[in-house]
Amino acid sequence: MANDTDTVAFDVIDGIAWVRFNRPDKRNAMSPTLNRAMMEVLDELEFRSDVGVLVLTGEGPAWTAGMDLKEYFRETESEGLKGVRRSQRESYGWWRRLRWYQKPTIAMVNGWCFGGGYGPLFACDLAFAADEAKFGLSEINWGILPGGGATKVAVELLPFRKAMYHALLGEPIDGKTAADWGLVNESLPLAELKDRVTEVAKILRAKNPVALKATKDAIRRVGVMTYDEAEDYLVRAQEAANSFDNDGRKEGIRQFIDEKSYKPGLGAYDK
Ligand code: ACO
């Protein structure tokens, strides 16, 4: 099943939704139109039974060159605060939706990733980059601070000194450096990127989907909690997950203890 709009395209193949920023001529800069289209696409895909994993990537040489300086900034600012707040809601809205998405998500960063692009980068649960990709907090280069969550993403993902250097200098780093710094999980040659992401997506697809959603939310939630708060949250989160999936974990135990058909330390049970 394929779908194309002007600014966002997607295909669903073998349980993986391949969603693409689709303004290659504008280096996939996020315009208000693209932000609205992305929310619609996320909405359409989130609860589809034929979608197990969502991959976010870009058409052409960019993942995304960040916010569209003309359409997102200059044109909405000309409408006054009403226009500015509306375009913020639209962009922050789909990034937030993606952070708490029902399905596991992977950023497949094929090329340029700047500024506002750090919002969806962080929103994706995992991130794989091409060695050839370039990442930058370029805001300082045109005279603003890294807003729209970009500063928060840098501080969440990078050590203090690297976050400060990255934001103050505005120098782009390549995919390998992004992996060394922890912005992405791995970097590999562009020619190998899609195969690796497909491999990871297939591994995720084989796992219990209720447990995946509970786990990804837990990883995002517990960071700001005390140990005791986290312990309590995790007990309740597992009990809530049990009410959606009564049999999954019992089957997981049965296949290991009774059937001896797999080892949980080495892979997933057969769901
Ligand atoms: N906003 C609006 N238009 C953009 C953006 C952007 N963020 N990025 C690229 N474009 C447009 C260019 O204006 C150009 O349009 P035109 O063909 O109508 O002249 C077209 O995309 C191609 O861009 P080039 O600069 O010619 O492409 P090139 O491959 O040489 O360079 C690069 C790519 C490095 C990404 C460059 O376009 C660039 O620096 N873009 C801005 C990156 C940036 O700083 N983004 C803002 C981050 S801050 C934030 O998001 C809040």
Side-chain angles (χ1 to χ4, degrees), residues 25-27 29 65-69 73 112 114-116 138-139 142:
D25 293 349
K26 298 289 183 188
R27 302 301 179 262
M67 308 322 292
D68 188 306
L69 299 194
F73 284 106
W112 306 111
F114 288 109
S138 55
E139 286 88 340
W142 62 280

Side-chain angles (χ1 to χ4, degrees), residues 156 218-226 230:
E156 287 283 323
I219 292 284
R220 288 188 188 274
R221 291 279 185 216
V222 300
V224 296
M225 296 180 191
T226 64

Side-chain angles (χ1 to χ4, degrees), residues 126-218:
L126 299 172
F128 293 78
D131 293 343
E132 297 89 335
K134 288 275 193 293
F135 296 78
L137 287 180
S138 55
E139 286 88 340
I140 197 72
N141 294 337
W142 62 280
I144 68 166
L145 63 76
T151 295
K152 177 67 173 163
V153 174
V155 169
E156 287 283 323
L157 297 182
L158 303 177
F160 177 85
R161 290 288 175 211
K162 287 196 179 350
M164 193 65 93
Y165 186 94
H166 201 48
L168 286 181
L169 276 290
E171 288 173 0
I173 57 173
D174 63 14
K176 275 188 186 308
T177 307
D180 285 347
W181 285 14
L183 267 182
V184 297
N185 293 92
E186 286 175 31
S187 174
L188 57 170
L190 180 60
E192 297 168 25
L193 182 62
K194 189 166 184 185
D195 283 352
R196 174 64 179 137
V197 169
T198 303
E199 179 183 57
V200 171
K202 282 185 178 163
I203 294 170
L204 291 170
R205 277 203 62 214
K207 300 198 190 291
N208 180 318
V210 174
L212 284 172
K213 169 66 171 152
T215 300
K216 59 181 262 179
D217 286 2

